[in-house]
Amino acid sequence: MSSPGGPGGALSTRGGPKRNKWALELSLGSTRSRGDRQNKEGDVMYPVGYSDKPVPDTSVQETDRNLVEKRCWDVALGPLKQIPMNLFIMYMSGNTISIFPIMMVCMMAWRPIQALMSMSATFKLLESSSQQWLQGLVYLIGNLLGSALAIYKCQSMGLLPTHSSDWLAFIEPPQRLEIMGGGMVL
Amino acid sequence: MGWSLATLFVSLRLLCFTAAVFEDQVGKFDWRQQFVGEVRFAVFDTNSQASKKLLVATEKNIFASINSRTGDLLWRHVDKTGPEGHIDMLLLHGQDALVVVGNGRILRSWETTIGGLNWETVLDTGSFQSAAFIGVQDLVKYVAVLKKSALSLHYLSNGHQKWVENLPESNTVQYQIVYSGGSGQVLLLGVVPNSHIVIVEYNIEDGEIMRQKSVAAPWITSLQSSCVVVGSGVLLCADLTTQSMYTFSLQSVEQTNMNQILLQTLGLEVASGFQPVLISTQPHPARPPLSEFVLQLGPDHHILLQLNDELISPLRDFNPSFLVAFATTGEKTVTAVMSPKNTTACSINLYSADTGRRLLDTTIIYHKDPNGGRPAKLYVHAFLKKDDSVGYRVMVQNEDLVLSFLQQPGRVVWTREEALADVVTMEMVDLPLTGTQAELEGEFGKKADGLLAMVLKRLSSQLIVLQAWLGHLWKLFYDARKPRSQVKNEVTIETLSRDEFNLQKMMVMVTASGKLFGIDSKSGTILWSQYLENVQPNSVFKLMVQRTTAHFPHPPQCTLLIKDKNTGLASLNVFNPIFGKKSHIGVPALSRPVLQSLLLPLMDQDYAKVLLLIDDQYKVTAFPSTKNVLQQLQEMASSIFFYLVDSNQGRLSGFRLRKDLSTELIWEVVVPVETQKIVGVKGKRANEHVHSQGRVMGDRSVLYKYLNPNLLAVVTESTDTHQEHSFVGIFLIDGVTGRIVHEAVQRKARGPVHFVHSENWVVYVYWNTKSRRNEFSVLELFEGMELYNSTVFSSLDRPQPPQVLQQSYIFPSPISTLEATLTEKGITSRHLLVGLPSGAILSLPKMFLDPRRPEVASEQSREENLIPYSPEIPIRTEWFINYNQSVSRVKGIYTSPSGLESTCLVVAYGLDLYQTRVYPSKQFDVLKDDYDYVLISSVLLGLFFATMISKRLAEVKLLNRAWR
């Protein structure tokens, strides 16, 4: 909340034996804090040479670059690594239609889709890597595989309208061309 | 998704096996009315002053007791239908009622207070003639039953036979009257037509013939109704041809000829062609009859006469008078006479029988129903008042079988519509919308006339709706202040309106007596009735709804076709089914006998469906026959077909309409009448919808149904009824082309066959003569895995025959009628409604009658929810939709869809009426009756407030944290 080194604003009363509950000073001086509770912090004097902003470390070392590369590959391979886990869950949940398998399938389908939607953000993450495009491709493939797996699961659960029976409800009754009636002779 | 929905639906269907009602639901959606039919004998129990029993025996073979204060049935015994259960005689003595049943087959004694059987004896064979109490010295100890050739005497106490005697010369003499004056002898009167009367006297103790005598009477044809015994044993006869009365003393030894008394000498004249009728009364069976009697001289003319020493003197002339009846209370005997007062009312007066003097203050005014028939029978219940004067109540039966019970000075205590015991056909018609709804509906019906006008119209109609709603609220508020008992929820014609889900409908019922009824399906109240006069007893009725209530402001219209079987001529009655008013629309004159009628889906400019009537020359008359209709008919002529089934000649023939409204024969199928007889033909119901065009198989492919709207199911029975050779045949014939789609013969089977034809299946029930059991058989037709043409159906273009599957099952009960449920869109699974002779109505899921039920359950059949085949169909008592409200002699079940897809309205008719609702797939579209609204709304409210409070708390907390 408080920004000790920030530009000044209205400042409350200074410390002293007598403390007002609050005070307003309209002049724009070197005032900083807003509440009297912040006074103590506001009163802290920074040492010489202290800077608010961190100084960037400009000396990039080779080991760090490897680390970044590794980190980026981790990100890229994440979806692929999940596939065995997903397969296991798929196997465990079975093909019956009940609330838990449906939730599993939804999760499985939603996660790759979500990942694909936030592709640009992931690319930003991978920006620093040299193999950015390759990693991006791997990430994409991983996610696509994940969603394919979800679709396969849907298929094996019978949730995909791939059979003629799934469209049965939409078949209109045929229109009759002849009018017929009659019965036993009265 | 489709698959999961289907699975969900199937699992819903699996849940639907239980269909019983809860105890608190009894009578909530259903009602039953019990009837007895046309009264044949009615006796008032006059033993005690407070007695309120009225015993009736009816043409429907029913012996019942009616509470004379309320008109409710105290108890009822339903005997066999037909001549076997026919009630020949009803005699009441004290607490015991004696009934002779089945043309003298059985003699029964009933205890009248609770309707228990005292005893029953099987009588010797022979056609029944008469029965009478035999009294000795003021005590009635025996009952005599006269058969064609034998006379038997039974003890009243236990029914044991005292003696039985063969009658002398019974092959020539017709014995018709048995009489006892209480003096220890049994007199038997017989007649040889146009020759003489035979009198035989039996000894009461051993049945020995004491005396035998014959009296010449060349004018006589029959003793019944023209001869009575009056006074102390005087036989009195009236004859039309000689215009005279004859008396003969039964006791006298010397008299050999009858005394002739010319009616002219009494100043009387019989109406031309009217057979005079004599009415006498015997107040106590152990005492001789009164010497006063009534002679009916014409249809509206009666006269009270007195016999005094072989002289007849008139006491009082009742002219005009419709009906006359005697009644006795204490020592007094009175005559009640119904005479016309004015065009709308009759008056009933009481006259002292021994003097003919009118008793003061005894007039009952009987108001005739303008839509009813004439009074036909009069039953009088006389009683002594505290001041020793005679008071009385009467029961009047009209030609239209209305029983009205009246008391002085004309208050109708109760009425019973006994015509409803014989409903022939019925329809259910939607009720009209309320005025405001109709206003809104009417807006859409009108032609558009400019944007502004439309907006204004919409605003005004919305205003009207708002006004009506406010009025409704005000009424609710107003009624809420009144005590519950004062708020009447009576249904009247004025307050009739369709409810939200169209669950309340108007039942239009046609009865065999020619009376039409409009009954509210929710409460069973008769809202209107109309008696059609001159309807012959064996007429055929066909009721059609030409215009429903959907076409405001045109009134709904029903047409009843009545065909007289004797002349073959038919007449059309057009009426409004909601108000029962006869319509003024001109009906076509039908000069030729009508063979059949056909209601087309075509409509005239007033939205009335076109009715075609086919006469015996196969010419067609259209009704209505406006220019518009004729033009439409000409355009459509080539696609209008009809079929006729002549059961006598075993011929089925199909016709096509020509442009000039003549017809051409296009096909004919002849079933040889020597071997089999066509017993029934059924097409599909016009208002049936099939939602699903196929069945989903276990492998998720589709087996398409063969939904031929022109398919007819024809059932034949063999003429040979020997159990080895009898068979039942079923033919499925296309009504347009005459092609026999399928035929099946069930060997060693016998009728009566009940069958239902719906969707792509036919279910029929027959009696298996070999195994001696009732069997259900189901035929189901499928088109295959491919649809031939999914857009249009034409019978003329069907190259492939359908696949037919069949399976049979054992049903552990005989059945009396069969019908299938029907719903609005046909999504709900179907049930079969089976009327059982026990009075129960069974709702049998169609799932049990499925020819695809596998013998061994496989993975795929399980997936399809097919029950493995088992030959027996169970009857579970929770499937009885009428729980313990037995419906006697169910003749037909009518099903009608309601506005809710889950709900089907059911009316069972026969002797009783029963209306209920069935939910074949449970009520999936309605919250349950016991739905906990309080809990749900309190939880919702609680959650709402919890959110509000926690939101506020969160805000405070955030603020506090911000202050920190």
Side-chain angles (χ1 to χ4, degrees), chain A residues 37 158-160 163-166 168-169 171-186, chain B residues 1 3 563 595-596 598 639 641-645 692-694 700 702 710 735 791-795 963-964:
Chain A
R37 268 185 235 158
L159 292 175
L160 292 184
H163 289 82
S164 52
S165 59
D166 299 319
L168 184 63
I171 300 178
E172 290 292 315
Q175 196 191 346
R176 62 188 287 192
L177 288 184
E178 294 95 10
I179 301 170
M180 189 221 53
M184 287 267 202
V185 171
L186 291 178
Chain B
M1 269 319 273
W3 178 237
K563 184 181 172 182
L595 294 184
Q596 244 313 337
L598 169 60
S639 62
F641 298 82
F642 62 92
Y643 69 95
L644 289 174
V645 181
S692 182
Q693 299 296 302
R700 297 177 61 195
V702 176
N710 307 321
T791 51
V792 288
F793 188 95
S794 169
S795 287
W963 279 109
R964 199 178 293 132

Short mmCIF file of all heavy atoms in Angstrom, two decimals, chain A residues 37 158-160 163-166 168-169 171-186, chain B residues 1 3 563 595-596 598 639 641-645 692-694 700 702 710 735 791-795 963-964:
data_model
loop_
_atom_site.label_atom_id
_atom_site.label_comp_id
_atom_site.label_asym_id
_atom_site.label_seq_id
_atom_site.Cartn_x
_atom_site.Cartn_y
_atom_site.Cartn_z
N ARG A 37 -0.84 6.00 10.63
CA ARG A 37 -0.15 4.76 10.94
C ARG A 37 1.08 4.61 10.07
O ARG A 37 2.05 3.99 10.43
CB ARG A 37 -1.07 3.57 10.70
CG ARG A 37 -1.82 3.19 11.95
CD ARG A 37 -2.59 1.95 11.68
NE ARG A 37 -3.98 2.20 11.99
CZ ARG A 37 -4.98 1.49 11.48
NH1 ARG A 37 -4.74 0.56 10.61
NH2 ARG A 37 -6.19 1.75 11.85
N GLY A 158 -19.55 -42.54 -26.34
CA GLY A 158 -20.78 -42.41 -27.12
C GLY A 158 -21.38 -41.04 -27.06
O GLY A 158 -22.59 -40.88 -27.17
N LEU A 159 -20.54 -40.04 -26.85
CA LEU A 159 -21.08 -38.69 -26.75
C LEU A 159 -21.04 -37.94 -28.07
O LEU A 159 -21.54 -36.83 -28.16
CB LEU A 159 -20.32 -37.90 -25.69
CG LEU A 159 -20.53 -38.38 -24.25
CD1 LEU A 159 -19.62 -37.62 -23.30
CD2 LEU A 159 -21.97 -38.21 -23.83
N LEU A 160 -20.45 -38.54 -29.07
CA LEU A 160 -20.37 -37.83 -30.35
C LEU A 160 -21.51 -38.27 -31.27
O LEU A 160 -21.81 -39.45 -31.36
CB LEU A 160 -19.04 -38.12 -31.03
CG LEU A 160 -17.81 -37.56 -30.35
CD1 LEU A 160 -16.58 -37.84 -31.19
CD2 LEU A 160 -17.95 -36.08 -30.11
N HIS A 163 -23.58 -41.47 -35.23
CA HIS A 163 -24.43 -42.55 -35.75
C HIS A 163 -25.76 -41.98 -36.23
O HIS A 163 -26.19 -40.91 -35.79
CB HIS A 163 -24.68 -43.59 -34.66
CG HIS A 163 -23.48 -44.40 -34.35
ND1 HIS A 163 -22.49 -43.96 -33.50
CD2 HIS A 163 -23.10 -45.62 -34.79
CE1 HIS A 163 -21.55 -44.87 -33.42
NE2 HIS A 163 -21.89 -45.89 -34.19
N SER A 164 -26.38 -42.74 -37.07
CA SER A 164 -27.67 -42.29 -37.59
C SER A 164 -28.69 -42.14 -36.47
O SER A 164 -29.60 -41.32 -36.54
CB SER A 164 -28.18 -43.26 -38.65
OG SER A 164 -28.16 -44.57 -38.15
N SER A 165 -28.53 -42.96 -35.41
CA SER A 165 -29.51 -42.89 -34.32
C SER A 165 -29.44 -41.55 -33.61
O SER A 165 -30.41 -41.13 -33.00
CB SER A 165 -29.25 -44.01 -33.33
OG SER A 165 -27.94 -43.92 -32.83
N ASP A 166 -28.29 -40.87 -33.70
CA ASP A 166 -28.19 -39.60 -33.00
C ASP A 166 -29.01 -38.52 -33.69
O ASP A 166 -29.34 -37.50 -33.09
CB ASP A 166 -26.72 -39.16 -32.94
CG ASP A 166 -25.89 -40.17 -32.19
OD1 ASP A 166 -26.38 -40.67 -31.17
OD2 ASP A 166 -24.78 -40.50 -32.64
N LEU A 168 -31.90 -39.27 -35.20
CA LEU A 168 -33.25 -39.83 -35.36
C LEU A 168 -34.33 -38.85 -34.91
O LEU A 168 -35.38 -38.71 -35.54
CB LEU A 168 -33.34 -41.13 -34.57
CG LEU A 168 -34.64 -41.91 -34.69
CD1 LEU A 168 -34.84 -42.35 -36.11
CD2 LEU A 168 -34.63 -43.10 -33.76
N ALA A 169 -34.02 -38.14 -33.82
CA ALA A 169 -35.04 -37.25 -33.26
C ALA A 169 -35.36 -36.11 -34.20
O ALA A 169 -36.39 -35.46 -34.07
CB ALA A 169 -34.57 -36.72 -31.92
N ILE A 171 -35.65 -36.37 -37.52
CA ILE A 171 -36.33 -36.77 -38.75
C ILE A 171 -37.81 -36.43 -38.61
O ILE A 171 -38.48 -36.86 -37.67
CB ILE A 171 -36.15 -38.27 -39.02
CG1 ILE A 171 -34.68 -38.61 -39.15
CG2 ILE A 171 -36.90 -38.68 -40.28
CD1 ILE A 171 -34.42 -40.08 -39.35
N GLU A 172 -38.29 -35.65 -39.53
CA GLU A 172 -39.71 -35.28 -39.51
C GLU A 172 -40.55 -36.45 -40.00
O GLU A 172 -40.11 -37.21 -40.87
CB GLU A 172 -39.93 -34.08 -40.43
CG GLU A 172 -39.34 -32.79 -39.93
CD GLU A 172 -40.05 -32.28 -38.69
OE1 GLU A 172 -41.29 -32.28 -38.69
OE2 GLU A 172 -39.36 -31.90 -37.72
N PRO A 173 -41.75 -36.62 -39.47
CA PRO A 173 -42.60 -37.68 -40.02
C PRO A 173 -42.94 -37.37 -41.47
O PRO A 173 -43.20 -36.21 -41.83
CB PRO A 173 -43.85 -37.63 -39.15
CG PRO A 173 -43.76 -36.39 -38.35
CD PRO A 173 -42.36 -35.95 -38.33
N PRO A 174 -42.90 -38.38 -42.33
CA PRO A 174 -43.16 -38.10 -43.74
C PRO A 174 -44.59 -37.62 -43.97
O PRO A 174 -45.52 -37.99 -43.25
CB PRO A 174 -42.90 -39.44 -44.43
CG PRO A 174 -42.97 -40.45 -43.36
CD PRO A 174 -42.60 -39.79 -42.09
N GLN A 175 -44.72 -36.78 -44.96
CA GLN A 175 -46.03 -36.24 -45.29
C GLN A 175 -46.78 -37.30 -46.08
O GLN A 175 -46.22 -37.95 -46.96
CB GLN A 175 -45.78 -35.01 -46.16
CG GLN A 175 -46.96 -34.12 -46.28
CD GLN A 175 -46.71 -33.08 -47.36
OE1 GLN A 175 -45.59 -32.89 -47.80
NE2 GLN A 175 -47.77 -32.44 -47.80
N ARG A 176 -48.07 -37.48 -45.76
CA ARG A 176 -48.79 -38.52 -46.48
C ARG A 176 -49.45 -37.93 -47.73
O ARG A 176 -49.98 -36.82 -47.69
CB ARG A 176 -49.81 -39.22 -45.59
CG ARG A 176 -50.91 -38.36 -45.03
CD ARG A 176 -51.73 -39.10 -44.01
NE ARG A 176 -52.60 -40.10 -44.60
CZ ARG A 176 -53.58 -40.72 -43.96
NH1 ARG A 176 -53.80 -40.42 -42.69
NH2 ARG A 176 -54.34 -41.60 -44.53
N LEU A 177 -49.40 -38.67 -48.79
CA LEU A 177 -49.91 -38.16 -50.06
C LEU A 177 -51.36 -38.55 -50.29
O LEU A 177 -52.08 -37.87 -50.99
CB LEU A 177 -49.06 -38.69 -51.22
CG LEU A 177 -47.67 -38.09 -51.34
CD1 LEU A 177 -46.98 -38.62 -52.58
CD2 LEU A 177 -47.74 -36.57 -51.43
N GLU A 178 -51.78 -39.69 -49.72
CA GLU A 178 -53.15 -40.11 -49.95
C GLU A 178 -53.98 -39.90 -48.67
O GLU A 178 -53.46 -39.98 -47.57
CB GLU A 178 -53.21 -41.60 -50.31
CG GLU A 178 -52.57 -41.93 -51.64
CD GLU A 178 -51.14 -42.39 -51.46
OE1 GLU A 178 -50.74 -42.62 -50.30
OE2 GLU A 178 -50.42 -42.50 -52.46
N ILE A 179 -55.24 -39.63 -48.87
CA ILE A 179 -56.17 -39.55 -47.75
C ILE A 179 -57.02 -40.81 -47.81
O ILE A 179 -57.53 -41.16 -48.88
CB ILE A 179 -57.07 -38.31 -47.87
CG1 ILE A 179 -56.21 -37.05 -47.89
CG2 ILE A 179 -58.05 -38.26 -46.72
CD1 ILE A 179 -56.98 -35.81 -48.25
N MET A 180 -57.12 -41.50 -46.68
CA MET A 180 -57.87 -42.75 -46.72
C MET A 180 -58.73 -42.88 -45.47
O MET A 180 -58.36 -42.41 -44.39
CB MET A 180 -56.91 -43.93 -46.80
CG MET A 180 -57.59 -45.23 -47.06
SD MET A 180 -56.91 -46.58 -46.09
CE MET A 180 -56.99 -45.99 -44.45
N GLY A 181 -59.87 -43.47 -45.61
CA GLY A 181 -60.74 -43.71 -44.46
C GLY A 181 -61.81 -44.71 -44.86
O GLY A 181 -61.85 -45.17 -45.99
N GLY A 182 -62.64 -45.01 -43.91
CA GLY A 182 -63.73 -45.95 -44.19
C GLY A 182 -63.93 -46.87 -43.01
O GLY A 182 -63.63 -46.51 -41.88
N GLY A 183 -64.44 -48.04 -43.26
CA GLY A 183 -64.66 -48.97 -42.17
C GLY A 183 -65.67 -50.02 -42.55
O GLY A 183 -66.02 -50.18 -43.73
N MET A 184 -66.13 -50.73 -41.52
CA MET A 184 -67.17 -51.73 -41.72
C MET A 184 -68.43 -51.04 -42.25
O MET A 184 -68.71 -49.90 -41.86
CB MET A 184 -67.51 -52.36 -40.37
CG MET A 184 -66.45 -53.31 -39.88
SD MET A 184 -66.86 -54.96 -40.41
CE MET A 184 -65.95 -55.93 -39.26
N VAL A 185 -69.16 -51.70 -43.06
CA VAL A 185 -70.42 -51.15 -43.53
C VAL A 185 -71.33 -50.99 -42.31
O VAL A 185 -71.53 -51.94 -41.56
CB VAL A 185 -71.06 -52.07 -44.58
CG1 VAL A 185 -72.46 -51.62 -44.91
CG2 VAL A 185 -70.20 -52.09 -45.83
N LEU A 186 -71.83 -49.77 -42.13
CA LEU A 186 -72.63 -49.49 -40.93
C LEU A 186 -73.93 -50.28 -40.94
O LEU A 186 -74.54 -50.45 -41.98
CB LEU A 186 -72.94 -47.99 -40.84
CG LEU A 186 -71.76 -47.07 -40.54
CD1 LEU A 186 -72.25 -45.63 -40.54
CD2 LEU A 186 -71.15 -47.38 -39.19
N MET B 1 -24.38 -36.19 -28.03
CA MET B 1 -25.40 -35.66 -27.11
C MET B 1 -26.71 -36.40 -27.29
O MET B 1 -27.39 -36.71 -26.34
CB MET B 1 -25.63 -34.16 -27.40
CG MET B 1 -24.74 -33.25 -26.59
SD MET B 1 -24.51 -33.70 -24.88
CE MET B 1 -25.92 -32.90 -24.15
N TRP B 3 -27.22 -39.34 -28.20
CA TRP B 3 -27.17 -40.66 -27.58
C TRP B 3 -27.40 -40.57 -26.08
O TRP B 3 -28.16 -41.34 -25.50
CB TRP B 3 -25.80 -41.27 -27.89
CG TRP B 3 -25.60 -42.59 -27.27
CD1 TRP B 3 -24.60 -42.95 -26.44
CD2 TRP B 3 -26.42 -43.75 -27.43
NE1 TRP B 3 -24.73 -44.25 -26.07
CE2 TRP B 3 -25.85 -44.76 -26.67
CE3 TRP B 3 -27.58 -44.00 -28.14
CZ2 TRP B 3 -26.39 -46.02 -26.58
CZ3 TRP B 3 -28.13 -45.26 -28.06
CH2 TRP B 3 -27.53 -46.26 -27.29
N LYS B 563 -77.64 -44.34 -37.94
CA LYS B 563 -78.17 -45.15 -39.01
C LYS B 563 -79.14 -46.17 -38.43
O LYS B 563 -78.79 -46.92 -37.52
CB LYS B 563 -77.05 -45.86 -39.76
CG LYS B 563 -77.56 -46.63 -40.95
CD LYS B 563 -76.46 -47.35 -41.67
CE LYS B 563 -77.05 -48.26 -42.72
NZ LYS B 563 -76.04 -49.02 -43.42
N LEU B 595 -73.57 -46.14 -46.31
CA LEU B 595 -72.73 -47.28 -45.96
C LEU B 595 -71.63 -46.89 -44.98
O LEU B 595 -71.34 -47.61 -44.04
CB LEU B 595 -72.09 -47.86 -47.22
CG LEU B 595 -73.04 -48.49 -48.23
CD1 LEU B 595 -72.27 -49.10 -49.37
CD2 LEU B 595 -73.90 -49.56 -47.57
N GLN B 596 -71.01 -45.78 -45.22
CA GLN B 596 -69.92 -45.36 -44.35
C GLN B 596 -69.76 -43.85 -44.46
O GLN B 596 -70.33 -43.22 -45.35
CB GLN B 596 -68.60 -46.02 -44.77
CG GLN B 596 -67.95 -46.97 -43.79
CD GLN B 596 -67.85 -46.48 -42.37
OE1 GLN B 596 -67.85 -45.30 -42.09
NE2 GLN B 596 -67.76 -47.43 -41.44
N LEU B 598 -66.66 -40.62 -43.91
CA LEU B 598 -65.22 -40.43 -43.98
C LEU B 598 -64.96 -38.96 -43.66
O LEU B 598 -65.50 -38.07 -44.32
CB LEU B 598 -64.74 -40.79 -45.39
CG LEU B 598 -63.36 -40.47 -45.85
CD1 LEU B 598 -62.36 -41.16 -44.96
CD2 LEU B 598 -63.16 -40.96 -47.26
N SER B 639 -56.54 -38.29 -54.88
CA SER B 639 -55.79 -38.83 -53.74
C SER B 639 -56.69 -39.15 -52.56
O SER B 639 -56.22 -39.32 -51.45
CB SER B 639 -54.68 -37.86 -53.33
OG SER B 639 -55.25 -36.66 -52.90
N PHE B 641 -59.13 -41.84 -51.00
CA PHE B 641 -59.50 -43.24 -51.12
C PHE B 641 -60.38 -43.63 -49.94
O PHE B 641 -60.29 -43.02 -48.88
CB PHE B 641 -58.26 -44.12 -51.10
CG PHE B 641 -57.31 -43.86 -52.24
CD1 PHE B 641 -56.40 -42.81 -52.18
CD2 PHE B 641 -57.34 -44.65 -53.38
CE1 PHE B 641 -55.55 -42.57 -53.23
CE2 PHE B 641 -56.48 -44.41 -54.42
CZ PHE B 641 -55.58 -43.36 -54.35
N PHE B 642 -61.21 -44.61 -50.11
CA PHE B 642 -61.89 -45.15 -48.96
C PHE B 642 -62.12 -46.64 -49.15
O PHE B 642 -62.08 -47.16 -50.26
CB PHE B 642 -63.17 -44.39 -48.63
CG PHE B 642 -64.22 -44.42 -49.68
CD1 PHE B 642 -65.19 -45.39 -49.66
CD2 PHE B 642 -64.25 -43.47 -50.68
CE1 PHE B 642 -66.17 -45.42 -50.62
CE2 PHE B 642 -65.23 -43.49 -51.66
CZ PHE B 642 -66.19 -44.47 -51.63
N TYR B 643 -62.30 -47.30 -48.03
CA TYR B 643 -62.49 -48.75 -48.08
C TYR B 643 -63.78 -49.11 -47.35
O TYR B 643 -64.21 -48.40 -46.44
CB TYR B 643 -61.30 -49.47 -47.44
CG TYR B 643 -61.18 -49.28 -45.97
CD1 TYR B 643 -61.72 -50.21 -45.08
CD2 TYR B 643 -60.54 -48.18 -45.44
CE1 TYR B 643 -61.64 -50.03 -43.72
CE2 TYR B 643 -60.45 -47.99 -44.08
CZ TYR B 643 -61.00 -48.92 -43.23
OH TYR B 643 -60.91 -48.73 -41.88
N LEU B 644 -64.38 -50.17 -47.78
CA LEU B 644 -65.59 -50.66 -47.13
C LEU B 644 -65.40 -52.14 -46.83
O LEU B 644 -64.82 -52.87 -47.64
CB LEU B 644 -66.80 -50.49 -48.06
CG LEU B 644 -67.29 -49.08 -48.30
CD1 LEU B 644 -68.37 -49.07 -49.34
CD2 LEU B 644 -67.82 -48.49 -47.00
N VAL B 645 -65.84 -52.56 -45.68
CA VAL B 645 -65.72 -53.96 -45.29
C VAL B 645 -67.13 -54.50 -45.09
O VAL B 645 -67.87 -54.01 -44.24
CB VAL B 645 -64.90 -54.11 -44.00
CG1 VAL B 645 -64.76 -55.56 -43.64
CG2 VAL B 645 -63.55 -53.46 -44.18
N SER B 692 -40.80 -40.71 -32.86
CA SER B 692 -39.56 -41.34 -33.30
C SER B 692 -39.84 -42.20 -34.52
O SER B 692 -40.73 -43.04 -34.50
CB SER B 692 -39.01 -42.19 -32.15
OG SER B 692 -37.80 -42.76 -32.56
N GLN B 693 -39.09 -41.97 -35.57
CA GLN B 693 -39.33 -42.69 -36.81
C GLN B 693 -38.65 -44.05 -36.85
O GLN B 693 -38.77 -44.77 -37.83
CB GLN B 693 -38.84 -41.86 -38.00
CG GLN B 693 -39.54 -40.55 -38.15
CD GLN B 693 -41.01 -40.71 -38.43
OE1 GLN B 693 -41.40 -41.32 -39.40
NE2 GLN B 693 -41.84 -40.17 -37.56
N GLY B 694 -37.89 -44.37 -35.82
CA GLY B 694 -37.21 -45.66 -35.83
C GLY B 694 -36.85 -46.07 -34.43
O GLY B 694 -37.14 -45.39 -33.47
N ARG B 700 -26.21 -48.80 -32.06
CA ARG B 700 -26.51 -47.41 -32.34
C ARG B 700 -26.88 -47.14 -33.79
O ARG B 700 -26.88 -46.01 -34.24
CB ARG B 700 -25.35 -46.50 -31.90
CG ARG B 700 -25.14 -46.58 -30.41
CD ARG B 700 -23.98 -45.76 -29.98
NE ARG B 700 -24.17 -44.35 -30.31
CZ ARG B 700 -23.19 -43.48 -30.30
NH1 ARG B 700 -21.96 -43.87 -30.00
NH2 ARG B 700 -23.42 -42.22 -30.57
N VAL B 702 -30.05 -47.53 -36.68
CA VAL B 702 -31.49 -47.30 -36.54
C VAL B 702 -32.27 -48.32 -37.36
O VAL B 702 -31.95 -48.58 -38.52
CB VAL B 702 -31.87 -45.87 -37.01
CG1 VAL B 702 -33.36 -45.68 -36.95
CG2 VAL B 702 -31.19 -44.84 -36.17
N ASN B 710 -51.91 -45.67 -44.05
CA ASN B 710 -53.07 -46.27 -44.72
C ASN B 710 -53.25 -47.74 -44.38
O ASN B 710 -54.03 -48.43 -45.02
CB ASN B 710 -52.92 -46.12 -46.24
CG ASN B 710 -52.66 -44.70 -46.64
OD1 ASN B 710 -53.24 -43.78 -46.06
ND2 ASN B 710 -51.77 -44.49 -47.58
N GLY B 735 -54.80 -49.83 -47.28
CA GLY B 735 -56.14 -49.39 -47.64
C GLY B 735 -56.22 -48.66 -48.96
O GLY B 735 -57.31 -48.47 -49.50
N THR B 791 -39.32 -38.09 -46.87
CA THR B 791 -40.08 -36.84 -46.91
C THR B 791 -41.58 -37.08 -47.11
O THR B 791 -42.39 -36.45 -46.45
CB THR B 791 -39.57 -35.91 -48.01
OG1 THR B 791 -39.51 -36.67 -49.21
CG2 THR B 791 -38.22 -35.35 -47.66
N VAL B 792 -41.93 -37.97 -48.03
CA VAL B 792 -43.36 -38.20 -48.26
C VAL B 792 -43.65 -39.69 -48.17
O VAL B 792 -42.78 -40.52 -48.39
CB VAL B 792 -43.83 -37.68 -49.64
CG1 VAL B 792 -43.86 -36.19 -49.67
CG2 VAL B 792 -43.01 -38.26 -50.75
N PHE B 793 -44.88 -40.00 -47.83
CA PHE B 793 -45.29 -41.39 -47.81
C PHE B 793 -46.41 -41.58 -48.81
O PHE B 793 -47.44 -40.93 -48.73
CB PHE B 793 -45.77 -41.83 -46.43
CG PHE B 793 -46.01 -43.29 -46.34
CD1 PHE B 793 -45.03 -44.14 -45.86
CD2 PHE B 793 -47.19 -43.85 -46.82
CE1 PHE B 793 -45.23 -45.50 -45.82
CE2 PHE B 793 -47.39 -45.20 -46.80
CZ PHE B 793 -46.41 -46.04 -46.30
N SER B 794 -46.19 -42.48 -49.75
CA SER B 794 -47.24 -42.80 -50.69
C SER B 794 -47.36 -44.31 -50.76
O SER B 794 -46.38 -45.02 -50.96
CB SER B 794 -46.90 -42.24 -52.07
OG SER B 794 -47.81 -42.78 -53.00
N SER B 795 -48.57 -44.81 -50.56
CA SER B 795 -48.78 -46.25 -50.62
C SER B 795 -48.56 -46.78 -52.02
O SER B 795 -48.30 -47.96 -52.22
CB SER B 795 -50.21 -46.58 -50.19
OG SER B 795 -50.34 -46.40 -48.83
N TRP B 963 -8.03 0.09 5.62
CA TRP B 963 -7.69 1.08 6.66
C TRP B 963 -6.45 0.66 7.45
O TRP B 963 -5.83 1.47 8.08
CB TRP B 963 -8.86 1.23 7.63
CG TRP B 963 -9.93 2.15 7.11
CD1 TRP B 963 -11.14 1.81 6.68
CD2 TRP B 963 -9.84 3.56 6.99
NE1 TRP B 963 -11.83 2.89 6.27
CE2 TRP B 963 -11.05 4.01 6.44
CE3 TRP B 963 -8.80 4.52 7.25
CZ2 TRP B 963 -11.31 5.35 6.17
CZ3 TRP B 963 -9.08 5.84 7.00
CH2 TRP B 963 -10.31 6.25 6.45
N ARG B 964 -6.14 -0.64 7.42
CA ARG B 964 -5.09 -1.11 8.30
C ARG B 964 -3.74 -0.49 7.96
O ARG B 964 -3.46 -0.21 6.81
CB ARG B 964 -4.98 -2.64 8.20
CG ARG B 964 -4.26 -3.23 9.40
CD ARG B 964 -4.20 -4.74 9.31
NE ARG B 964 -5.50 -5.33 9.43
CZ ARG B 964 -5.95 -6.26 8.58
NH1 ARG B 964 -5.20 -6.66 7.57
NH2 ARG B 964 -7.15 -6.77 8.76
#
